[in-house]
């Protein structure tokens, strides 16, 4: 959603949120841990962009989602990239 010029070479930095949904608090928490592990320190190519890092942002919280019947863990990430 938010793109800034950041980092040493002034590459764009994008901030995004991942919602991890499950039927229980524990399952949403475990899924969030798997997502965080997969995305943290990611380096590679996504949709034609070279990603130099992906790090956690300030968002990490739980709620019962929009309908109140599904647990949701929201995780924020910052991604520094450049178009390949």
């Amino acid at each position: 959603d938010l793109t800034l010029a950041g980092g040493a070479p002034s590459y764009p930095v994008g901030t995004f949120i991942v919602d991890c949904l499950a039927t229980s608090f524990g399952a949403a928490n475990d899924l969030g841990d798997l997502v965080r592990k997969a995305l943290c320190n990611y380096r590679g190519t996504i949709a034609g962009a070279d990603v130099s890092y992906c790090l956690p942002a300030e968002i990490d919280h739980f709620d019962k989602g929009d309908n109140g019947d599904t647990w949701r863990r929201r995780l924020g990430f910052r991604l520094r990239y450049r178009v390949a």
Side-chain angles (χ1 to χ4, degrees), residues 28-78:
N29 187 46
D30 292 345
L31 180 57
D33 288 345
L34 290 172
V35 167
R36 182 181 291 275
K37 183 178 178 181
L39 291 178
C40 283
N41 297 314
Y42 174 82
R43 294 173 191 266
T45 303
I46 300 174
D50 288 331
V51 176
S52 60
Y53 74 69
C54 182
L55 298 174
E58 300 80 30
I59 298 170
D60 185 352
H61 72 264
F62 290 90
D63 63 21
K64 287 287 279 184
D66 294 333
N67 298 326
D69 58 355
T70 302
W71 281 97
R72 173 174 63 185
R73 183 175 178 188
R74 296 196 108 180
L75 299 171
F77 295 92
R78 292 176 50 87

